[in-house]
């Protein structure tokens, strides 16, 4: 993979649709953090989690949530590795084991949406309200299998909890300042990976149905979630600056070191998405979904959810 280093487009830096490319980039970043970094645990867990999402992990069904899918998991995993690299460049110090624990937490942070094999009612979306706790519990059940100690599992649980926007991070019992920082990095990576994703606006339609099944949120329709997404950009910015301590600043250091680009490309992608959303919502007498063209997602949503019901507006 040879990206164009003068591009400001994240999608041109990494073909995030390929799980192999994502893993290889994360391994490259770890080698830049330390040339003798033991990357084997990361590769092993990545393989196990990919099997989990595909339905090839004993005791679990395949992931069936269109928004919180494997692509989001690996994009958050990648964003986390980039933030850790930037933090190290800014003279933050983490042990190798802390970084391994944090990256395992990153790729597992949404596995709470995955149903156990015996659970055949509905989809994993029904667990939206408590999926963070379920993700933490998955880590507790399988952490030893992934090579983590009891202390590392506890640290990983605390890191995952930082992705819960309803949790006051100041109340979390972090075992060390390093784990607290890693938790804030994951809370940041989770949000940035979602909003910067090339198909974010299209995937909001999937999120509408996830929220509907879970009985959370006040979204009345697919179009309504698009309209209300405009306000989430302000929520996102406020959370980055306050609760998460502005650690997104580390991303620019990563891109400068890795690609010679002195910008936070995630923020650029997010601002572009926001601008486009505002534009299509302002078109008179138009359905904004008609302007969402990425990956045929709108078509897939219609085929899945509009079979026997009037089209949602």
């Amino acid at each position: 993979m040879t990206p164009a280093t003068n591009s400001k487009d994240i999608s041109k830096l990494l073909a995030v649709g390929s799980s192999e490319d994502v893993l290889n980039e994360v391994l490259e970043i770890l080698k830049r953090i330390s040339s003798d970094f033991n990357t084997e645990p990361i590769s092993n867990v990545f393989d196990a989690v990919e099997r989990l999402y595909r339905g090839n992990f004993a005791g679990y069904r395949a992931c069936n949530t269109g928004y919180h899918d494997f692509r989001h998991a690996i994009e958050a995993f990648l964003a986390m590795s980039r933030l850790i690299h930037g933090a190290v460049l800014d003279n933050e110090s983490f042990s190798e084991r802390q970084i391994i624990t944090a990256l395992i937490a990153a790729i597992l942070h949404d596995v709470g949406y995955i149903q156990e094999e015996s659970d055949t009612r509905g989809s994993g979306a029904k667990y939206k309200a408590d999926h963070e706790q379920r993700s933490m519990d998955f880590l507790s059940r399988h952490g030893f299998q992934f090579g983590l100690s009891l202390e590392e599992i506890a640290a990983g649980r605390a890191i995952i909890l930082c992705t819960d926007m309803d949790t006051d991070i100041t109340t979390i019992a972090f075992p060390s300042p390093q784990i607290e920082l890693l938790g804030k990095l994951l809370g940041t990576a989770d949000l940035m990976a979602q909003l910067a994703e090339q198909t974010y606006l299209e995937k909001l339609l999937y999120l509408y149905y996830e929220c509907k099944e879970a009985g959370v949120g006040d979204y009345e329709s697919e179009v309504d979630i698009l309209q209300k997404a405009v306000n989430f950009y302000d929520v996102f910015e406020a959370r980055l600056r306050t609760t998460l301590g502005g650690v997104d600043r580390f991303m620019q250091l990563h891109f400068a070191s890795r690609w010679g680009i002195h910008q936070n490309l995630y923020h650029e992608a997010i601002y572009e998405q926001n601008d486009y959303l505002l534009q299509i919502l302002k078109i008179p007498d138009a359905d904004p979904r008609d302007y969402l063209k990425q990956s045929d997602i709108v078509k897939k949503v219609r085929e899945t959810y509009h079979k026997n019901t009037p089209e949602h507006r």
Side-chain angles (χ1 to χ4, degrees), residues 128-189:
K128 182 170 180 57
D130 63 345
H131 76 274
E132 296 92 354
Q133 184 63 50
R134 284 172 51 85
S135 299
M136 293 158 60
D137 291 345
F138 181 94
L139 177 59
S140 292
R141 284 194 299 273
H142 299 284
F144 292 121
Q145 178 182 342
F146 298 150
L148 298 180
S149 68
L150 271 175
E151 292 76 13
E152 289 168 340
I153 290 171
R157 288 175 62 93
I159 292 169
I160 290 174
L161 190 53
C162 291
T163 66
D164 183 355
M165 294 187 66
D166 293 326
T167 294
D168 180 354
I169 288 180
T170 64
T171 67
I172 300 175
F174 295 104
S176 70
Q178 289 82 10
I179 296 302
E180 179 177 2
L181 177 55
L182 289 166
K184 290 178 178 178
L185 292 181
L186 181 55
T188 300

Side-chain angles (χ1 to χ4, degrees), residues 25-207:
E25 179 63 12
V26 170
L27 298 182
E28 171 64 26
I29 290 169
L30 293 177
K31 289 299 185 181
R32 288 171 178 262
I33 291 173
S34 173
S35 59
D36 59 353
F37 198 105
N38 177 20
T39 60
E40 184 177 359
I42 298 300
S43 296
N44 291 342
V45 173
F46 189 94
D47 176 68
V49 175
E50 183 164 19
R51 287 188 285 107
L52 172 67
Y53 273 85
R54 307 297 185 208
N56 297 313
F57 192 99
Y60 295 89
R61 300 176 65 190
C63 173
N64 52 22
T65 46
Y67 185 88
H68 293 94
D69 56 1
F70 184 59
R71 177 168 177 171
H72 167 61
I74 64 176
E75 288 190 342
F77 172 71
L78 172 60
M80 181 65 164
S81 71
R82 288 170 161 167
L83 283 170
I84 291 172
H85 181 218
V88 170
L89 291 170
D90 201 42
N91 297 315
E92 296 290 347
S93 179
F94 307 110
S95 72
E96 181 176 292
R97 292 301 305 179
Q98 286 173 334
I99 293 174
I100 289 172
T101 299
L103 288 175
I104 291 175
I107 202 167
L108 293 178
H109 81 281
D110 273 344
V111 296
Y113 282 101
I114 297 177
Q115 293 165 280
E116 289 77 9
E117 201 169 44
S118 59
D119 178 7
T120 58
R121 181 179 61 83
S123 77
K126 65 188 177 186
Y127 295 119
K128 182 170 180 57
D130 63 345
H131 76 274
E132 296 92 354
Q133 184 63 50
R134 284 172 51 85
S135 299
M136 293 158 60
D137 291 345
F138 181 94
L139 177 59
S140 292
R141 284 194 299 273
H142 299 284
F144 292 121
Q145 178 182 342
F146 298 150
L148 298 180
S149 68
L150 271 175
E151 292 76 13
E152 289 168 340
I153 290 171
R157 288 175 62 93
I159 292 169
I160 290 174
L161 190 53
C162 291
T163 66
D164 183 355
M165 294 187 66
D166 293 326
T167 294
D168 180 354
I169 288 180
T170 64
T171 67
I172 300 175
F174 295 104
S176 70
Q178 289 82 10
I179 296 302
E180 179 177 2
L181 177 55
L182 289 166
K184 290 178 178 178
L185 292 181
L186 181 55
T188 300
D190 181 26
L191 290 172
M192 293 178 73
Q194 289 180 63
L195 273 68
E197 185 176 347
Q198 193 172 16
T199 59
Y200 169 65
L201 297 179
E202 286 81 1
K203 287 179 72 174
L204 284 174
L205 305 186
Y206 282 129
L207 183 60

